[in-house]
């Protein structure tokens, strides 16, 4: 079993849930989302329709509470019964493979990243719905379009619902102490900051071990800040480049400033280290901040107050070199009630439902539609700010190539992570590691 | 007279009994009957053993991914693995892990079994306690070990650094390849000892005390008693326990996957964890199956080695010992 970042979030959320859920049943309207006047598509709900949906399990309490509440409202309004299964994250992909390959089971399936692209031929396109929502809610973010649409087309394979990201989290007082007001965007300065933090006993820490979310995110950041990438626009492996070598050398210097043992961390390693005060800076999702904020220990609450959040340094990149992991709703061709399904998703994405869900999820999910970034709750806490634009990034797993099963396999097999890990520990020379990783990546891309 | 009666008898017999039908003759045919009686067993074996194994073999020769059925590609997966340094590292890791961990388990397990074989107070209670590491679900004990090996929160580091002041920094158990491998082996030995100890204890209890009494009268030393009585009489059960233990260790998955997930940079992957990593999270079903299939020759080899090397002594077949 593996503890993921989400598990630790769940722990924090358990405490959080109690205080933050408003009274259920009170029908609230959301009035801080600017909308354009667009006529909704008319989906004629089939006679006797009912829907089965599978989606990822909650990791913050309100996620499930509000999803269910909104679903009940849909059923009340339309008479369509919707059965929602919340599936643990490890079980999601095997289950999706079964549903897709047998052509039976759930009508709607919410899953991660590249999945809609892997099962593209089994899905009903959502183009009409996506265009309507985009027009009404200020357009889709880049990442939503990248993951939602078929590569290089305007056809929507699935409807992105949200995503999460991991910006820099740091202890304000400790960073100030070594002479920095904020996290510098320049890589040399960032390295200098890390060196100074190490000297002052509050080092930086980020995993290059087999931590699925954290280590892949961190190694992608290292690549993108140096303008390196795994594949080019045509899906040809381009990892073995001078930019990658530069990233590897930079990572080696950065590693020297880190707390020992980061290579053994899984996704909760940095959360624990940060919360215990062992490190002064890391990259992480909002979960870490909230679990500290809601901790029963006042000392930990004080740490949360001293925490600041900022986008990861840009380096040589012109846009935020950090991706987000979006979840998208897929509608299967085997569904007997495609209209009911589309109407359900439309209902869930409208502001009265989606706005409630989003604002209650406290930045754990971030909106794929731009208008939702205007919601007041994003300004309620300055630390939430970087999360409000999680999907506003051109970077994705497998950048710059097409999104496919190959890009997913490179992530799952830690191909890039291991390249960095073997170099920063001195086990391989940068050139040899880049060649080896490129060869491994080529195998997946050749198959796809 | 006699001939007449027998003739009559025969006539009567042929009259009463019609010639056997095809079905009757078929059922009287012994080989067929044997085959028929074995059918349920064959059915069970096919459904629960041969089919999954065959499917694994088939998958290993396709380029199936999760989501795509895949096409037959012959031995391509295996040829790729031959050139894959990570695969070879997992093979050497597995052999090393199995050899060292099994040796450790047997030395410590035998020792523990002999201690428990003495008359000690609370014997039953102690024996139950010894079984704990074996009873606790491995995922749980793995998480405990993961905490013990944590670079920031390790109890061992805490004692060494903060209590005893023997070192000035925390130990990085899992951060570099060799310490990580040894750490995993230690955890595996801990979990495996109870199985060996309890099995061998059962073996020890079958040895008649009169043998030891006789040895005592002959003036044998403790070592001689161990060498000449305990070890030979324990051999049959030792062979079985060794075989099982080697198989368990060789195909170990949970400990490694929960503690390191094969990291740092794949240096602690066993064949089982690598197969899972490639097949399920990595979605390359064919390649993962090929790694799993590659384990079979090793497993058969290890089993034969244990069985013939340790178990098959002449005295076990009722002959005199050499």
């Amino acid at each position: 079993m593996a503890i993921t970042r989400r598990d630790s979030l769940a722990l924090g959320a358990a405490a959080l849930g109690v205080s933050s859920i408003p009274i259920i049943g009170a029908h609230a309207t959301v009035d801080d989302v600017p909308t354009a006047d667009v006529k909704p598509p008319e989906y004629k709900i089939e006679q006797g329709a009912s829907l089965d949906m599978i989606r990822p399990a909650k990791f913050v309490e309100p996620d499930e509470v509000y999803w269910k509440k909104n679903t009940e409202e849909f059923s009340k309004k339309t008479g369509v019964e919707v059965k929602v299964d919340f599936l643990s994250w490890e079980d999601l992909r095997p289950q999706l493979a079964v549903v897709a390959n047998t052509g039976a089971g759930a009508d709607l399936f919410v899953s991660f990243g590249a999945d809609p692209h892997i099962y593209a031929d089994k899905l009903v396109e959502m183009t009409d719905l996506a265009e309507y929502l985009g027009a009404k809610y200020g357009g889709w973010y880049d990442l939503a379009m990248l993951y939602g649409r078929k590569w290089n087309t305007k056809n929507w394979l699935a409807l992105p619902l949200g995503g999460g990201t991991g910006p820099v989290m740091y202890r304000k007082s400790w960073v100030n102490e070594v002479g920095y007001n904020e996290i510098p965007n320049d890589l040399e300065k960032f390295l200098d900051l890390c060196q100074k933090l190490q000297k002052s006993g509050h080092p930086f820490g980020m995993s290059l071990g087999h931590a699925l979310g954290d280590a892949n995110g961190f190694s992608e950041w290292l690549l993108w800040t140096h303008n390196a990438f795994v594949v080019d626009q045509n899906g040809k492996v381009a990892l073995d480049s001078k930019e990658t070598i530069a990233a590897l050398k930079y990572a080696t210097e950065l590693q020297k400033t880190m707390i020992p043992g980061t290579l053994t961390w899984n996704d909760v390693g940095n959360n624990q280290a940060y919360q215990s005060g062992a490190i002064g800076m890391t990259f992480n999702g909002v979960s870490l901040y909230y679990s500290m904020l809601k901790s029963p220990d006042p000392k930990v609450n004080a740490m949360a107050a001293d925490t600041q959040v900022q986008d990861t340094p840009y380096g040589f990149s012109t846009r935020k070199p950090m991706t987000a992991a979006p979840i998208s709703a897929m509608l299967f061709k085997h569904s007997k009630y495609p209209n009911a399904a589309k109407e359900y998703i439309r209902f869930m994405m409208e502001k009265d439902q989606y706005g409630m869900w989003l604002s209650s999820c406290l930045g754990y999910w971030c909106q794929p539609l731009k208008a939702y970034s205007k919601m007041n709750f994003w300004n309620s806490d300055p630390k939430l700010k970087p999360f409000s634009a999680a999907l506003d990034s051109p970077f994705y797993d497998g950048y710059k190539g097409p999104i496919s099963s190959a890009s997913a396999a490179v992530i799952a097999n830690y191909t890039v992570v291991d390249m960095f890990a073997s170099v920063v520990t001195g086990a391989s020379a940068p050139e040899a590691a880049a060649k080896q990783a490129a060869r491994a990546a080529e195998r997946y891309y050749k198959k796809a | 007279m006699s001939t007449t009666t027998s003739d009559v008898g025969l006539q009567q017999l042929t009259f009463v009994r019609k010639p056997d039908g095809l079905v009757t003759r078929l059922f009287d045919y012994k080989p067929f009957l044997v085959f028929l009686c074995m059918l349920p067993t064959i059915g069970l074996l096919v459904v629960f053993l041969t089919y999954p194994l065959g499917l694994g073999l088939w998958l290993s020769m396709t380029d199936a991914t999760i989501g795509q059925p895949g096409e037959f590609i012959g031995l391509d997966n295996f040829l790729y693995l031959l050139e894959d340094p990570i695969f070879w590292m997992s093979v050497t890791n597995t052999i090393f892990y199995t050899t060292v961990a099994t040796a450790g388990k047997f030395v410590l397990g035998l020792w523990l079994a002999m201690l428990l074989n003495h008359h000690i107070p609370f014997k039953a209670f102690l024996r139950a306690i010894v079984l704990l590491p074996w009873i606790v679900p491995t995922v749980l004990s793995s998480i405990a070990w993961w905490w013990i090996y944590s670079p920031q929160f390790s109890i061992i580091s805490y004692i060494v650094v903060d209590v005893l002041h023997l070192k000035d920094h925390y130990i990085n158990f899992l951060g570099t390849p060799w310490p990580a491998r040894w750490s995993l082996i230690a955890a595996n030995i801990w979990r495996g000892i109870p199985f060996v100890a309890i099995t061998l204890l059962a073996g020890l209890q079958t040895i008649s005390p009169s043998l030891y009494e006789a040895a005592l009268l002959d003036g044998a030393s403790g070592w001689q008693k161990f060498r000449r009585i305990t070890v030979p009489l324990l051999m049959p059960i030792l062979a079985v326990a060794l075989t099982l233990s080697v198989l368990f260790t060789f195909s170990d998955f949970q400990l490694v996957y929960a503690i390191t997930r094969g990291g740092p940079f794949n240096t602690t992957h066993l064949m089982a964890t690598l197969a899972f990593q490639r097949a399920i999270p990595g979605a390359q079903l064919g390649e993962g199956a090929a790694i799993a299939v590659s384990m079979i020759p090793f497993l058969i080899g290890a089993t034969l080695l244990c069985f013939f090397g340790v178990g098959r002594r002449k005295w076990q077949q009722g002959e005199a010992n050499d």
Side-chain angles (χ1 to χ4, degrees):
Chain A
M1 208 208 83
I3 302 179
T4 65
R5 186 164 66 201
R6 279 91 201 178
D7 291 336
S8 67
L9 173 62
L11 298 176
L16 181 77
V18 187
S19 59
S20 62
I21 304 171
I23 306 133
I24 313 270
H27 187 89
T29 49
V30 174
D31 50 15
D32 51 358
V33 182
T35 55
D37 193 14
V38 183
K39 200 170 145 314
E42 274 170 36
Y43 297 116
K44 237 184 130 239
I45 294 177
E46 297 85 350
Q47 200 74 44
S50 68
L51 294 169
D52 273 354
M53 178 193 217
I54 295 179
R55 53 147 288 174
K58 57 146 194 245
F59 279 95
V60 286
E61 195 66 30
D63 179 5
E64 182 173 327
V65 171
Y66 279 92
W67 194 272
K68 279 186 173 161
K69 179 178 171 302
N70 289 339
T71 302
E72 271 163 33
E73 229 144 78
F74 174 75
S75 299
K76 234 184 280 162
K77 235 174 115 178
T78 59
V80 176
E81 204 190 311
V82 186
K83 194 174 130 266
V84 184
D85 276 330
F86 294 81
L87 214 61
S88 79
W89 292 31
E90 306 89 87
D91 297 339
L92 213 60
R93 284 202 157 121
Q95 184 75 37
L96 174 61
V98 171
V99 172
N101 288 330
T102 56
D107 305 274
L108 284 161
F109 205 115
V110 180
S111 191
F112 301 99
D115 289 345
H117 300 256
I118 297 171
Y119 300 104
D121 56 337
K122 310 266 196 317
L123 304 177
V124 178
E125 287 193 357
M126 301 270 217
T127 312
D128 48 350
L129 179 56
E131 278 171 0
Y132 155 71
L133 288 170
K136 182 168 177 185
Y137 292 101
W140 297 90
Y141 284 115
D142 286 358
L143 272 179
M145 289 195 276
L146 278 161
Y147 278 103
R149 297 202 297 207
K150 204 169 182 167
W151 183 248
N152 267 343
T153 71
K154 290 197 176 342
N155 299 356
W156 290 76
L157 296 169
L159 204 91
L161 302 179
T165 192
V168 189
M169 273 187 195
Y170 61 97
R171 294 285 289 275
K172 232 174 349 193
S173 58
W174 289 344
V175 167
N176 291 345
E177 197 182 290
V178 297
Y180 281 89
N181 276 328
E182 53 171 24
I183 306 302
N185 263 329
D186 179 77
L187 288 175
E188 287 314 310
K189 282 197 186 128
F190 183 69
L191 180 62
D192 178 63
L193 166 64
C194 292
Q195 285 162 343
K196 285 181 174 152
L197 280 174
Q198 185 197 23
K199 275 200 202 97
S200 72
H202 311 299
F204 174 52
M206 199 57 204
S207 177
L208 282 173
H210 280 189
L212 193 62
D214 285 352
N216 275 303
F218 183 50
S219 49
E220 284 174 333
W221 173 79
L222 284 164
L223 283 185
W224 297 334
T225 47
H226 288 84
N227 281 332
F229 37 86
V230 179
V231 288
D232 65 14
Q233 288 90 330
N234 304 315
K236 212 174 146 286
V237 175
L239 189 60
D240 188 8
S241 66
K242 65 176 195 306
E243 287 84 4
T244 303
I245 307 289
L248 285 165
K249 287 181 176 157
Y250 182 78
T252 312
E253 292 308 309
L254 203 56
Q255 187 71 34
K256 289 178 194 156
T257 72
M258 287 194 210
I259 191 170
T262 53
L263 259 84
T264 74
W265 284 353
N266 61 16
D267 277 305
V268 292
N270 64 335
N271 298 39
Q272 292 172 334
Y274 188 91
Q275 198 158 334
S276 71
I279 55 173
M281 179 165 71
T282 190
F283 298 174
N284 207 73
V286 77
S287 56
L288 173 57
Y289 171 59
Y290 271 101
S291 73
M292 290 193 300
L293 196 64
K294 301 291 170 182
S295 164
D297 184 349
K299 262 192 289 183
V300 179
N301 301 152
M303 280 187 192
D306 187 36
T307 291
Q308 192 50 272
V309 187
Q310 197 185 316
D311 280 346
T312 49
Y314 280 40
F316 296 112
S317 170
T318 47
R319 288 183 67 188
K320 183 179 67 180
M322 203 74 199
T323 190
I327 51 168
S328 308
M330 292 173 265
L331 170 56
F332 280 105
K333 278 181 186 158
H334 65 243
S335 167
K336 280 187 280 180
Y337 311 112
N339 283 344
K342 281 187 178 178
E343 181 62 16
Y344 170 60
I345 294 296
R346 184 191 74 76
F347 181 80
M348 297 299 271
M349 292 302 288
E350 297 283 4
K351 66 179 166 54
D352 285 349
Q353 287 70 244
Y354 192 84
M356 281 307 279
W357 180 67
L358 183 73
S359 55
S360 317
C361 284
L362 322 149
Y364 185 68
W365 295 122
C366 314
Q367 71 286 347
L369 287 158
K370 288 178 183 165
Y372 287 112
S373 67
K374 302 284 193 300
M375 287 182 79
N376 294 330
F377 83 95
W378 286 120
N379 301 319
S380 63
D381 184 340
K383 285 151 197 162
L384 283 183
K385 203 73 197 153
F387 297 100
S388 70
L391 274 72
D392 187 12
S393 167
F395 292 104
Y396 51 93
D397 297 342
Y399 173 81
K400 312 172 165 181
I403 292 172
S404 66
S405 57
S407 54
V410 167
I411 294 292
N413 281 307
Y414 303 98
T415 308
V416 178
V417 174
D418 288 340
M419 172 182 80
F420 278 105
S422 66
V423 172
V424 300
T425 52
S428 302
E431 291 77 13
K435 278 206 172 60
Q436 160 72 23
R439 187 175 158 270
E442 251 158 35
R443 177 162 167 83
Y444 300 120
Y445 276 92
K446 223 185 298 169
K447 273 190 191 172
Chain B
M1 194 50 191
S2 60
T3 39
T4 341
T5 359
S6 70
D7 278 353
V8 173
L10 264 175
Q11 272 166 0
Q12 277 174 338
L13 260 178
T14 38
F15 179 72
V16 173
R17 192 174 163 185
K18 284 187 234 158
D20 290 342
L22 192 66
V23 178
T24 323
R25 267 187 293 152
L26 197 59
F27 274 87
D28 276 346
Y29 183 53
K30 209 171 174 187
F32 175 77
L33 203 64
V34 169
F35 176 73
L36 199 73
C37 294
M38 272 165 49
L39 263 187
T41 319
I42 292 174
L44 280 176
L45 283 178
V46 166
V47 171
F48 293 111
L49 224 73
T50 318
Y51 176 72
L53 197 67
L55 188 66
L57 270 171
W58 164 250
L59 275 176
S60 73
M61 287 185 271
T62 67
D63 58 357
T65 57
I66 288 186
Q68 304 294 330
E71 278 166 27
F72 181 76
I73 53 164
L75 295 176
D76 246 30
N77 284 326
F78 295 97
L79 293 176
Y80 171 77
L81 288 177
L82 281 180
E83 293 174 16
D84 182 0
I86 297 171
F87 170 71
W88 284 111
M89 191 179 323
S90 79
V91 173
T92 45
N93 280 348
T94 312
I95 294 172
F96 178 75
Y97 183 78
T98 310
T99 318
V100 177
T102 311
K105 277 185 253 192
F106 270 79
V107 171
L108 295 171
L110 183 59
W111 183 46
L112 191 61
M114 289 171 54
L115 287 180
L116 288 174
N117 200 29
H118 288 299
H119 288 287
I120 38 173
F122 308 112
K123 201 162 65 177
F125 179 69
L126 278 177
R127 284 178 189 171
I129 290 267
V130 164
L131 268 177
L132 268 182
W134 180 253
I135 298 167
V136 175
T138 309
V139 273
L140 291 185
S141 48
S142 300
I143 291 174
W145 279 100
W146 175 71
W147 275 101
I148 291 172
Y149 291 147
S150 159
Q152 272 84 41
F153 307 99
S154 165
I155 176 89
I156 300 176
S157 292
Y158 175 76
I159 291 170
V160 171
V161 177
D162 296 332
V163 180
L164 301 174
H165 304 290
L166 295 175
K167 280 180 91 137
D168 61 349
H169 60 275
Y170 273 32
I171 305 161
N172 191 359
F173 288 101
L174 305 170
T176 43
W178 279 106
R181 286 178 191 137
W182 285 111
S183 303
L184 289 175
I185 287 173
N188 184 285
I189 290 178
W190 171 85
R191 191 194 48 177
I193 286 176
F195 170 74
V196 176
I198 296 297
T199 319
L200 294 188
L201 181 61
L204 284 176
Q205 287 179 338
T206 62
I207 301 174
S208 162
S210 59
L211 291 173
Y212 291 108
E213 280 164 28
L216 197 67
L217 291 176
D218 287 343
S221 68
W223 170 250
Q224 281 172 322
K225 280 191 280 182
F226 175 74
R227 175 75 190 78
R228 301 285 170 188
I229 301 173
T230 314
V231 173
L233 288 175
L234 211 53
M235 264 313 162
I237 200 150
L238 202 72
V240 175
L242 187 67
T243 313
L244 286 176
S245 177
V246 165
L247 293 184
F248 290 149
T249 319
F250 197 91
S251 52
D252 189 20
F253 170 81
Q254 297 180 70
L255 260 180
V256 175
Y257 206 74
I259 298 178
T260 69
R261 284 203 207 176
F265 47 95
N266 296 316
T267 48
T268 58
H269 259 310
L270 301 181
M271 290 168 87
T273 54
L274 189 68
F276 177 79
Q277 171 70 54
R278 296 262 169 99
I280 307 297
Q284 311 292 316
L285 273 183
E287 198 177 313
I291 298 172
V293 166
S294 314
M295 291 172 73
I296 297 174
F298 288 102
L299 284 172
I300 293 175
T303 316
L304 292 179
L305 195 73
C306 294
F307 213 71
F308 287 104
V310 190
R312 244 210 181 168
R313 293 288 166 81
K314 279 184 180 167
W315 52 264
Q316 277 181 293
Q317 268 103 57
E319 290 171 41
N321 216 336
D322 289 328

